[in-house]
Coordinates of all heavy atoms in Angstrom, one line a residue:
M314 N 93.3 93.7 84.7 CA 94.6 93.0 84.7 C 95.4 93.5 85.9 O 95.2 94.6 86.4 CB 95.3 93.3 83.3 CG 96.0 94.7 83.3 SD 96.8 95.1 81.7 CE 95.5 96.2 81.1
L315 N 96.4 92.7 86.3 CA 97.3 93.0 87.3 C 98.5 93.7 86.7 O 99.0 93.2 85.7 CB 97.8 91.8 88.1 CG 98.9 92.0 89.1 CD1 98.3 92.9 90.3 CD2 99.4 90.7 89.7
V316 N 98.9 94.8 87.2 CA 100.1 95.6 86.7 C 101.0 95.8 87.9 O 100.6 96.2 89.0 CB 99.6 97.0 86.1 CG1 100.9 97.8 85.7 CG2 98.7 96.8 85.0
L317 N 102.3 95.4 87.6 CA 103.4 95.7 88.6 C 104.1 97.0 88.1 O 104.5 97.0 87.0 CB 104.3 94.6 88.7 CG 103.8 93.3 89.3 CD1 104.9 92.3 89.3 CD2 103.3 93.5 90.7
V318 N 104.2 98.0 88.9 CA 104.9 99.2 88.6 C 106.2 99.2 89.4 O 106.1 99.2 90.7 CB 104.1 100.5 88.9 CG1 104.8 101.7 88.6 CG2 102.8 100.4 88.1
C319 N 107.3 99.3 88.8 CA 108.6 99.3 89.5 C 109.4 100.5 88.9 O 109.4 100.8 87.7 CB 109.4 98.1 89.1 SG 108.6 96.5 89.4
Y320 N 110.0 101.2 89.8 CA 110.8 102.4 89.4 C 112.0 102.6 90.2 O 112.1 102.1 91.4 CB 109.9 103.7 89.5 CG 109.3 104.0 90.8 CD1 110.0 104.7 91.8 CD2 108.0 103.5 91.2 CE1 109.5 104.9 93.1 CE2 107.5 103.8 92.4 CZ 108.2 104.5 93.3 OH 107.7 104.7 94.6
D321 N 113.0 103.3 89.6 CA 114.2 103.7 90.3 C 114.5 105.1 89.8 O 114.8 105.3 88.6 CB 115.3 102.7 89.8 CG 116.6 103.0 90.6 OD1 116.6 103.7 91.6 OD2 117.7 102.5 90.2
V322 N 114.3 106.0 90.7 CA 114.5 107.4 90.4 C 115.8 107.9 91.0 O 116.1 107.7 92.2 CB 113.3 108.3 90.9 CG1 113.5 109.7 90.7 CG2 112.0 107.8 90.3
N323 N 116.6 108.6 90.2 CA 117.9 109.1 90.6 C 117.6 110.2 91.6 O 117.0 111.3 91.2 CB 118.7 109.6 89.4 CG 120.1 110.1 89.8 OD1 120.3 110.7 90.8 ND2 121.0 109.7 89.0
T324 N 118.1 110.1 92.9 CA 117.8 111.1 93.9 C 119.0 111.9 94.3 O 119.1 112.4 95.4 CB 117.2 110.4 95.1 OG1 118.1 109.4 95.6 CG2 115.8 109.8 94.8
E325 N 120.0 111.9 93.5 CA 121.2 112.7 93.8 C 121.0 114.2 93.8 O 121.8 114.9 94.4 CB 122.3 112.3 92.8 CG 122.8 110.9 92.9 CD 123.8 110.5 91.9 OE1 124.1 111.3 91.0 OE2 124.3 109.3 91.9
T326 N 120.0 114.6 93.2 CA 119.7 116.1 93.2 C 118.3 116.4 93.8 O 117.5 115.5 94.0 CB 119.6 116.6 91.7 OG1 118.5 116.0 91.1 CG2 120.9 116.3 90.9
K327 N 118.1 117.6 94.1 CA 116.8 118.0 94.7 C 115.7 117.7 93.7 O 114.6 117.3 94.1 CB 116.9 119.5 95.0 CG 115.7 120.0 95.8 CD 115.8 121.5 96.2 CE 114.6 122.0 96.9 NZ 114.7 123.4 97.3
A328 N 115.9 118.0 92.4 CA 114.9 117.7 91.4 C 114.6 116.2 91.4 O 113.4 115.8 91.2 CB 115.3 118.1 90.1
G329 N 115.6 115.3 91.6 CA 115.4 113.9 91.6 C 114.5 113.5 92.8 O 113.7 112.6 92.6
R330 N 114.8 114.0 93.9 CA 114.0 113.7 95.1 C 112.6 114.1 94.9 O 111.6 113.4 95.4 CB 114.6 114.3 96.4 CG 116.0 113.7 96.7 CD 116.6 114.2 98.0 NE 117.0 115.6 98.0 CZ 118.2 116.0 97.5 NH1 119.1 115.1 97.1 NH2 118.5 117.3 97.5
R331 N 112.4 115.3 94.3 CA 111.0 115.7 94.0 C 110.3 114.8 93.0 O 109.1 114.4 93.2 CB 111.1 117.2 93.4 CG 109.8 117.9 93.3 CD 109.9 119.4 93.0 NE 111.0 119.7 92.1 CZ 112.1 120.4 92.5 NH1 112.2 120.9 93.7 NH2 113.0 120.7 91.6
R332 N 111.0 114.3 92.0 CA 110.5 113.3 91.0 C 110.1 112.1 91.7 O 109.0 111.5 91.5 CB 111.5 113.0 89.9 CG 111.6 114.1 88.9 CD 112.3 113.6 87.6 NE 113.5 112.8 87.9 CZ 114.8 113.2 88.1 NH1 115.0 114.5 88.1 NH2 115.8 112.4 88.2
L333 N 110.9 111.6 92.6 CA 110.6 110.4 93.4 C 109.3 110.5 94.2 O 108.5 109.6 94.2 CB 111.8 110.1 94.3 CG 111.6 108.9 95.3 CD1 111.4 107.6 94.4 CD2 112.7 108.7 96.3
R334 N 109.1 111.6 94.9 CA 107.9 111.9 95.6 C 106.7 111.9 94.7 O 105.6 111.3 95.0 CB 108.0 113.2 96.4 CG 108.9 113.1 97.6 CD 108.8 114.3 98.6 NE 109.1 115.6 97.9 CZ 110.3 116.1 97.8 NH1 111.3 115.4 98.2 NH2 110.5 117.2 97.2
R335 N 106.8 112.5 93.5 CA 105.7 112.6 92.6 C 105.3 111.3 92.0 O 104.2 110.9 91.9 CB 106.0 113.7 91.5 CG 106.0 115.1 92.0 CD 105.9 116.1 90.9 NE 106.9 115.9 89.9 CZ 107.9 116.6 89.6 NH1 108.2 117.7 90.4 NH2 108.8 116.4 88.7
V336 N 106.3 110.5 91.7 CA 106.1 109.1 91.1 C 105.4 108.3 92.2 O 104.4 107.6 91.9 CB 107.4 108.5 90.6 CG1 107.2 107.0 90.4 CG2 107.9 109.2 89.4
A337 N 105.9 108.3 93.4 CA 105.3 107.5 94.5 C 103.9 108.0 94.8 O 103.0 107.1 95.0 CB 106.1 107.7 95.8
R338 N 103.6 109.3 94.7 CA 102.2 109.8 94.9 C 101.3 109.2 93.8 O 100.2 108.8 94.2 CB 102.3 111.3 94.9 CG 101.0 111.9 95.6 CD 101.2 113.4 95.8 NE 102.3 113.8 96.6 CZ 103.3 114.7 96.2 NH1 103.1 115.3 95.1 NH2 104.3 114.9 97.0
V339 N 101.7 109.2 92.6 CA 100.9 108.7 91.5 C 100.6 107.2 91.8 O 99.5 106.8 91.6 CB 101.6 108.9 90.1 CG1 100.8 108.1 89.0 CG2 101.6 110.4 89.8
C340 N 101.6 106.5 92.1 CA 101.4 105.0 92.4 C 100.5 104.8 93.6 O 99.7 103.9 93.5 CB 102.8 104.4 92.5 SG 103.8 104.3 91.0
E341 N 100.7 105.5 94.6 CA 99.9 105.4 95.8 C 98.4 105.6 95.6 O 97.6 105.0 96.2 CB 100.4 106.3 97.0 CG 101.7 105.8 97.6 CD 102.3 106.9 98.5 OE1 101.9 108.1 98.4 OE2 103.3 106.5 99.2
S342 N 98.2 106.5 94.6 CA 96.8 106.8 94.3 C 96.1 105.8 93.4 O 94.9 105.8 93.2 CB 96.7 108.2 93.6 OG 97.2 108.1 92.3
T343 N 96.9 104.9 92.9 CA 96.5 103.9 91.9 C 96.5 102.4 92.5 O 95.7 101.6 92.1 CB 97.3 104.0 90.6 OG1 97.3 105.3 90.2 CG2 96.7 103.1 89.6
G344 N 97.5 102.1 93.3 CA 97.7 100.7 93.6 C 98.2 100.6 95.1 O 98.1 101.5 95.9
Q345 N 98.7 99.4 95.3 CA 99.2 99.0 96.6 C 100.7 98.8 96.6 O 101.2 98.1 95.8 CB 98.5 97.7 97.0 CG 99.1 97.0 98.2 CD 98.4 95.7 98.4 OE1 97.2 95.7 98.8 NE2 99.1 94.6 98.2
R346 N 101.4 99.5 97.6 CA 102.8 99.4 97.6 C 103.2 98.0 98.2 O 102.7 97.6 99.2 CB 103.4 100.4 98.6 CG 104.9 100.5 98.6 CD 105.5 101.4 99.7 NE 105.1 102.8 99.4 CZ 105.9 103.7 98.8 NH1 107.0 103.4 98.4 NH2 105.4 104.9 98.6
V347 N 104.1 97.3 97.5 CA 104.5 96.0 97.9 C 106.0 96.0 98.3 O 106.5 95.1 99.0 CB 104.2 94.8 96.9 CG1 102.7 94.7 96.8 CG2 104.8 95.1 95.5
Q348 N 106.7 96.9 97.8 CA 108.1 97.2 98.2 C 108.3 98.7 98.1 O 107.4 99.4 97.6 CB 109.1 96.5 97.3 CG 109.1 95.0 97.5 CD 110.2 94.3 96.7 OE1 111.0 94.9 96.0 NE2 110.2 92.9 96.8
K349 N 109.5 99.2 98.5 CA 109.7 100.6 98.4 C 109.4 101.3 97.1 O 108.8 102.3 97.0 CB 111.1 101.0 98.9 CG 111.3 100.8 100.3 CD 112.7 101.2 100.8 CE 112.9 101.0 102.2 NZ 114.1 101.5 102.7
S350 N 109.8 100.6 96.0 CA 109.5 101.2 94.7 C 108.8 100.2 93.8 O 109.0 100.2 92.6 CB 110.9 101.5 94.1 OG 111.5 102.5 94.8
V351 N 107.9 99.4 94.4 CA 107.1 98.5 93.6 C 105.7 98.5 94.1 O 105.4 98.5 95.3 CB 107.7 97.0 93.8 CG1 106.8 96.0 93.0 CG2 109.1 96.9 93.4
F352 N 104.8 98.6 93.1 CA 103.4 98.7 93.4 C 102.6 97.7 92.6 O 103.0 97.4 91.4 CB 102.8 100.1 93.1 CG 103.2 101.2 94.0 CD1 104.4 101.7 94.0 CD2 102.3 101.6 95.0 CE1 104.8 102.7 94.9 CE2 102.6 102.5 95.9 CZ 103.9 103.1 95.9
E353 N 101.6 97.1 93.1 CA 100.6 96.3 92.4 C 99.3 97.0 92.2 O 98.8 97.6 93.1 CB 100.3 95.0 93.2 CG 101.5 94.1 93.3 CD 101.1 92.8 94.2 OE1 100.0 92.8 94.8 OE2 101.9 91.9 94.2
C354 N 98.9 97.0 91.0 CA 97.6 97.7 90.6 C 96.7 96.8 89.8 O 97.2 96.1 88.9 CB 98.0 99.0 89.8 SG 99.3 100.0 90.5
Q355 N 95.4 96.9 90.2 CA 94.4 96.2 89.4 C 93.8 97.2 88.5 O 93.1 98.1 89.0 CB 93.3 95.5 90.3 CG 93.7 94.2 90.9 CD 93.8 93.1 89.8 OE1 94.2 93.3 88.7 NE2 93.4 91.9 90.2
L356 N 94.0 97.1 87.2 CA 93.5 98.2 86.2 C 92.9 97.6 85.0 O 93.2 96.5 84.6 CB 94.8 99.0 85.8 CG 95.6 99.6 86.9 CD1 96.9 100.2 86.3 CD2 94.9 100.7 87.6
D357 N 92.0 98.4 84.4 CA 91.6 98.0 83.1 C 92.5 98.7 82.1 O 93.4 99.5 82.5 CB 90.1 98.5 82.8 CG 89.9 100.0 83.0 OD1 90.9 100.7 82.9 OD2 88.7 100.4 83.2
V358 N 92.3 98.5 80.8 CA 93.3 99.0 79.8 C 93.3 100.5 79.8 O 94.4 101.1 79.7 CB 92.9 98.4 78.4 CG1 93.8 99.0 77.3 CG2 93.1 96.9 78.4
A359 N 92.2 101.1 79.8 CA 92.2 102.6 79.8 C 92.9 103.2 81.0 O 93.7 104.1 80.8 CB 90.7 103.1 79.8
R360 N 92.7 102.7 82.2 CA 93.4 103.2 83.4 C 94.9 102.9 83.3 O 95.7 103.7 83.8 CB 92.7 102.6 84.6 CG 93.3 103.2 85.9 CD 93.1 104.7 86.0 NE 93.8 105.2 87.1 CZ 94.8 106.1 87.0 NH1 95.1 106.7 85.9 NH2 95.4 106.5 88.1
F361 N 95.2 101.7 82.8 CA 96.7 101.4 82.6 C 97.3 102.4 81.7 O 98.4 103.0 82.0 CB 96.8 100.0 82.0 CG 98.3 99.7 81.6 CD1 99.2 99.4 82.5 CD2 98.6 99.8 80.2 CE1 100.5 99.2 82.1 CE2 99.9 99.6 79.8 CZ 100.9 99.3 80.8
E362 N 96.7 102.8 80.6 CA 97.3 103.8 79.7 C 97.4 105.1 80.3 O 98.4 105.9 80.2 CB 96.5 103.8 78.4 CG 96.6 102.5 77.6 CD 95.7 102.5 76.4 OE1 94.8 103.4 76.3 OE2 95.8 101.5 75.6
A363 N 96.4 105.5 81.1 CA 96.4 106.8 81.8 C 97.6 106.8 82.9 O 98.3 107.8 83.0 CB 95.1 107.0 82.5
L364 N 97.7 105.7 83.6 CA 98.8 105.6 84.6 C 100.2 105.7 83.9 O 101.0 106.4 84.4 CB 98.7 104.3 85.4 CG 99.8 104.0 86.3 CD1 99.9 105.0 87.4 CD2 99.7 102.5 86.9
E365 N 100.3 105.0 82.8 CA 101.6 105.1 82.1 C 101.9 106.5 81.7 O 103.0 107.0 81.9 CB 101.6 104.2 80.9 CG 102.9 104.1 80.1 CD 102.9 103.2 79.0 OE1 101.8 102.8 78.5 OE2 104.0 102.8 78.5
R366 N 100.9 107.2 81.1 CA 101.1 108.6 80.8 C 101.5 109.5 82.0 O 102.4 110.4 81.9 CB 99.9 109.2 80.1 CG 99.7 108.8 78.6 CD 98.6 109.6 78.0 NE 97.3 109.5 78.7 CZ 96.4 108.6 78.5 NH1 96.6 107.6 77.6 NH2 95.3 108.6 79.2
E367 N 100.8 109.3 83.1 CA 101.1 110.1 84.3 C 102.5 109.9 84.8 O 103.2 110.8 85.1 CB 100.1 109.7 85.4 CG 98.7 110.2 85.2 CD 97.8 109.7 86.3 OE1 98.1 109.9 87.5 OE2 96.7 109.1 86.0
L368 N 102.9 108.6 84.8 CA 104.3 108.3 85.3 C 105.3 108.8 84.3 O 106.4 109.3 84.8 CB 104.4 106.8 85.5 CG 103.6 106.2 86.7 CD1 103.6 104.7 86.6 CD2 104.1 106.8 88.0
L369 N 105.1 108.7 83.0 CA 106.1 109.2 82.0 C 106.2 110.7 82.1 O 107.3 111.3 81.9 CB 105.7 108.8 80.6 CG 105.9 107.3 80.3 CD1 105.3 107.0 78.9 CD2 107.4 106.9 80.4
A370 N 105.2 111.4 82.5 CA 105.2 112.8 82.7 C 106.1 113.2 83.9 O 106.6 114.4 84.0 CB 103.8 113.4 82.8
E371 N 106.3 112.3 84.9 CA 107.0 112.6 86.1 C 108.5 112.2 86.0 O 109.3 112.9 86.7 CB 106.3 111.9 87.3 CG 104.9 112.3 87.6 CD 104.7 113.8 87.9 OE1 105.7 114.4 88.2 OE2 103.6 114.3 87.9
I372 N 108.8 111.2 85.3 CA 110.2 110.7 85.3 C 111.1 111.5 84.3 O 110.6 112.1 83.4 CB 110.3 109.2 85.1 CG1 110.0 108.9 83.6 CG2 109.5 108.4 86.1 CD1 110.5 107.5 83.2
D373 N 112.4 111.4 84.5 CA 113.4 111.8 83.6 C 114.0 110.6 82.9 O 114.8 109.9 83.6 CB 114.4 112.7 84.2 CG 115.5 113.1 83.3 OD1 115.6 112.7 82.1 OD2 116.3 114.0 83.7
P374 N 113.6 110.2 81.7 CA 114.1 108.9 81.1 C 115.6 108.9 80.9 O 116.1 107.8 80.7 CB 113.3 108.8 79.8 CG 112.8 110.2 79.5 CD 112.7 110.9 80.8
T375 N 116.3 110.0 81.0 CA 117.8 109.9 80.9 C 118.4 109.6 82.2 O 119.6 109.2 82.2 CB 118.3 111.3 80.4 OG1 118.1 112.3 81.4 CG2 117.7 111.7 79.1
M376 N 117.7 109.7 83.3 CA 118.3 109.4 84.6 C 117.5 108.3 85.4 O 118.1 107.8 86.4 CB 118.3 110.7 85.5 CG 119.1 111.8 84.8 SD 119.1 113.3 85.8 CE 120.1 112.8 87.1
D377 N 116.3 108.1 85.1 CA 115.4 107.2 85.9 C 115.0 106.0 85.1 O 115.2 105.9 83.9 CB 114.1 108.0 86.3 CG 114.4 109.3 87.0 OD1 115.4 109.4 87.7 OD2 113.6 110.2 86.8
C378 N 114.5 105.0 85.8 CA 114.0 103.8 85.2 C 112.6 103.5 85.6 O 112.3 103.6 86.8 CB 114.9 102.6 85.6 SG 114.4 101.1 84.9
L379 N 111.7 103.2 84.7 CA 110.3 102.9 85.0 C 110.0 101.6 84.3 O 110.2 101.5 83.0 CB 109.4 104.0 84.5 CG 107.9 103.7 84.6 CD1 107.4 103.5 86.0 CD2 107.1 104.8 83.9
R380 N 109.5 100.6 85.0 CA 109.1 99.3 84.4 C 107.6 99.0 84.7 O 107.3 99.1 85.9 CB 110.0 98.2 84.8 CG 111.4 98.4 84.3 CD 112.4 97.3 84.9 NE 112.1 96.0 84.5 CZ 112.6 95.4 83.4 NH1 113.4 96.1 82.6 NH2 112.3 94.2 83.1
L381 N 106.8 98.7 83.7 CA 105.4 98.3 83.9 C 105.2 96.9 83.4 O 105.4 96.6 82.3 CB 104.6 99.3 83.1 CG 104.7 100.8 83.4 CD1 104.0 101.6 82.4 CD2 104.3 101.1 84.8
Y382 N 104.9 96.0 84.3 CA 104.6 94.6 84.0 C 103.1 94.4 83.9 O 102.4 94.5 84.9 CB 105.2 93.7 85.1 CG 106.7 93.7 85.2 CD1 107.3 94.7 85.9 CD2 107.5 92.8 84.5 CE1 108.7 94.7 86.1 CE2 108.8 92.8 84.6 CZ 109.5 93.8 85.4 OH 110.8 93.8 85.5
R383 N 102.6 94.1 82.7 CA 101.2 93.8 82.5 C 101.0 92.3 82.6 O 101.6 91.6 81.9 CB 100.7 94.3 81.2 CG 100.7 95.8 81.1 CD 100.3 96.3 79.7 NE 99.4 95.4 79.0 CZ 98.7 95.7 77.9 NH1 98.8 96.9 77.5 NH2 98.0 94.8 77.3
I384 N 100.1 91.9 83.5 CA 99.9 90.5 83.7 C 98.4 90.2 83.5 O 97.7 90.1 84.5 CB 100.4 90.0 85.1 CG1 101.8 90.4 85.3 CG2 100.2 88.5 85.2 CD1 102.4 90.2 86.7
P385 N 98.0 90.1 82.3 CA 96.6 89.9 82.0 C 96.2 88.4 82.3 O 97.1 87.6 82.2 CB 96.4 90.2 80.5 CG 97.7 90.2 79.9 CD 98.7 90.4 81.1
G386 N 95.0 88.2 82.7 CA 94.6 86.8 83.1 C 94.7 85.8 82.0 O 95.2 84.7 82.3
T387 N 94.5 86.1 80.7 CA 94.5 85.1 79.7 C 95.5 85.3 78.6 O 95.7 84.4 77.8 CB 93.1 85.0 79.0 OG1 92.8 86.2 78.5 CG2 92.0 84.6 80.0
R388 N 96.2 86.4 78.6 CA 97.0 86.7 77.4 C 98.5 86.4 77.7 O 99.3 86.6 76.8 CB 96.9 88.2 77.1 CG 95.6 88.5 76.4 CD 95.5 89.9 75.9 NE 96.8 90.5 75.4 CZ 97.1 91.7 75.5 NH1 96.2 92.6 76.0 NH2 98.2 92.2 75.1
G389 N 98.9 86.1 78.9 CA 100.3 85.8 79.1 C 101.0 87.0 79.9 O 100.4 87.7 80.6
F390 N 102.3 87.1 79.6 CA 103.1 88.1 80.4 C 103.8 89.0 79.4 O 104.3 88.6 78.4 CB 104.2 87.2 81.1 CG 105.0 88.0 82.0 CD1 104.6 88.4 83.2 CD2 106.3 88.4 81.6 CE1 105.5 89.2 84.1 CE2 107.2 89.1 82.4 CZ 106.7 89.5 83.6
E391 N 103.7 90.3 79.7 CA 104.3 91.4 78.8 C 105.0 92.4 79.7 O 104.5 92.8 80.8 CB 103.2 92.0 78.1 CG 103.6 93.1 77.2 CD 102.5 93.8 76.5 OE1 101.3 93.3 76.6 OE2 102.7 94.8 75.8
V392 N 106.2 92.9 79.3 CA 106.9 93.9 80.0 C 107.1 95.1 79.1 O 107.5 95.0 78.0 CB 108.3 93.4 80.5 CG1 109.1 94.5 81.2 CG2 108.2 92.2 81.4
I393 N 106.8 96.3 79.7 CA 107.0 97.5 79.0 C 108.0 98.3 79.8 O 107.8 98.6 80.9 CB 105.7 98.3 78.8 CG1 104.6 97.5 78.0 CG2 105.9 99.7 78.2 CD1 103.3 98.1 78.0
E394 N 109.1 98.7 79.1 CA 110.2 99.4 79.8 C 110.3 100.9 79.3 O 110.1 101.2 78.2 CB 111.5 98.7 79.5 CG 111.6 97.3 79.9 CD 113.0 96.8 79.5 OE1 114.0 97.4 79.9 OE2 113.0 95.8 78.8
H395 N 110.7 101.7 80.3 CA 111.1 103.1 79.9 C 112.3 103.5 80.8 O 112.3 103.1 82.0 CB 109.9 104.1 80.2 CG 108.7 103.7 79.5 ND1 108.5 104.1 78.2 CD2 107.5 103.1 79.9 CE1 107.3 103.6 77.8 NE2 106.7 103.1 78.8
G396 N 113.2 104.2 80.3 CA 114.3 104.7 81.1 C 115.6 104.1 80.9 O 115.8 103.5 79.8
T397 N 116.5 104.1 81.9 CA 117.9 103.8 81.7 C 118.2 102.3 81.7 O 119.1 101.9 81.0 CB 118.7 104.4 82.8 OG1 118.3 104.0 84.1 CG2 118.7 105.9 82.7
F398 N 117.4 101.5 82.4 CA 117.7 100.1 82.4 C 117.2 99.4 81.2 O 116.1 99.6 80.7 CB 117.0 99.4 83.6 CG 117.2 98.0 83.7 CD1 118.3 97.4 84.3 CD2 116.2 97.1 83.3 CE1 118.5 96.1 84.3 CE2 116.4 95.7 83.3 CZ 117.6 95.2 83.9
K399 N 118.0 98.5 80.6 CA 117.6 97.7 79.4 C 117.8 96.3 79.8 O 118.9 95.9 80.2 CB 118.5 98.1 78.2 CG 118.2 99.5 77.7 CD 116.8 99.8 77.4 CE 116.5 101.2 77.0 NZ 115.2 101.6 77.1
A400 N 116.8 95.5 79.7 CA 116.8 94.1 80.0 C 117.7 93.3 79.0 O 117.9 93.6 77.9 CB 115.4 93.5 80.0
V401 N 118.3 92.2 79.5 CA 119.1 91.3 78.7 C 118.1 90.4 78.0 O 117.2 89.8 78.6 CB 120.1 90.5 79.6 CG1 120.8 89.5 78.8 CG2 121.0 91.4 80.3
D402 N 118.4 90.2 76.7 CA 117.6 89.2 75.9 C 118.2 87.8 76.1 O 119.2 87.5 75.4 CB 117.6 89.6 74.5 CG 116.8 88.6 73.6 OD1 116.1 87.7 74.2 OD2 116.8 88.8 72.4
F403 N 117.7 87.0 77.0 CA 118.3 85.7 77.3 C 118.0 84.7 76.2 O 118.7 83.7 76.1 CB 117.7 85.2 78.6 CG 118.2 85.9 79.8 CD1 117.3 86.8 80.5 CD2 119.5 85.8 80.3 CE1 117.8 87.5 81.5 CE2 119.9 86.6 81.4 CZ 119.1 87.4 82.0
D404 N 117.1 85.0 75.3 CA 116.9 84.1 74.1 C 117.7 84.5 72.9 O 117.7 83.8 71.9 CB 115.4 84.1 73.8 CG 114.5 83.6 74.8 OD1 115.0 82.6 75.5 OD2 113.4 84.1 75.0
G405 N 118.4 85.7 73.0 CA 119.2 86.1 71.9 C 120.6 85.4 71.9 O 120.9 84.6 72.7
P406 N 121.4 85.8 70.9 CA 122.8 85.2 70.8 C 123.7 85.6 72.0 O 123.6 86.7 72.4 CB 123.3 85.7 69.5 CG 122.5 86.9 69.2 CD 121.2 86.8 69.8
L407 N 124.5 84.7 72.4 CA 125.5 84.9 73.4 C 126.8 85.3 72.8 O 127.4 84.6 72.0 CB 125.7 83.7 74.3 CG 126.7 83.8 75.4 CD1 126.3 84.9 76.4 CD2 126.8 82.5 76.1
V408 N 127.3 86.5 73.1 CA 128.6 87.0 72.5 C 129.6 87.1 73.6 O 129.3 87.8 74.6 CB 128.4 88.4 71.8 CG1 129.7 88.8 71.2 CG2 127.3 88.3 70.7
L409 N 130.7 86.4 73.4 CA 131.7 86.4 74.5 C 132.9 87.4 74.1 O 133.2 87.6 73.0 CB 132.3 85.0 74.7 CG 131.2 84.0 75.2 CD1 131.9 82.7 75.3 CD2 130.7 84.5 76.6

């Protein structure tokens, strides 16, 4: 399956800059960089789960955002989110 890995690591501190380097290193060892913080990876299910564990071990979910988009050939589109960003449910009720 094709997996898009997108991340936003808070780099205001030295620890944040270190996390950013470690996350990028994990992604570089697995896939192809398509933007500064976006990678495309061709993975099987086992490698996808291992990559997710590795990335979760590197980020701080209270300060960083990690998004993994699984795009399997026949199953459709699925997004798995971790961290500070929460997507808007465009199919949900609109409250003004």
Side-chain angles (χ1 to χ4, degrees):
M314 80 183 103
L315 174 66
V316 175
L317 294 180
V318 179
C319 309
Y320 56 86
D321 186 16
V322 176
N323 184 320
T324 58
E325 294 175 356
T326 65
K327 187 176 180 179
R330 291 186 292 277
R331 192 170 33 249
R332 286 194 313 276
L333 176 63
R334 286 191 301 274
R335 289 194 311 249
V336 168
R338 199 171 303 129
V339 169
C340 291
E341 288 168 345
S342 72
T343 306
Q345 167 181 292
R346 186 186 297 264
V347 293
Q348 291 184 1
K349 288 184 179 183
S350 298
V351 180
F352 285 78
E353 291 180 349
C354 309
Q355 279 289 40
L356 307 171
D357 60 20
V358 173
R360 184 61 188 120
F361 169 78
E362 291 171 354
L364 174 63
E365 184 177 20
R366 281 191 306 272
E367 288 176 50
L368 290 170
L369 287 174
E371 299 298 344
I372 70 162
D373 178 348
T375 65
M376 301 179 72
D377 307 329
C378 178
L379 172 66
R380 295 174 64 89
L381 304 169
Y382 295 84
R383 290 176 30 162
I384 307 173
T387 59
R388 288 188 31 212
F390 184 79
E391 177 182 356
V392 178
I393 299 172
E394 298 179 56
H395 301 284
T397 58
F398 177 81
K399 296 301 176 200
V401 174
D402 180 7
F403 291 105
D404 296 327
L407 176 62
V408 179
L409 298 176

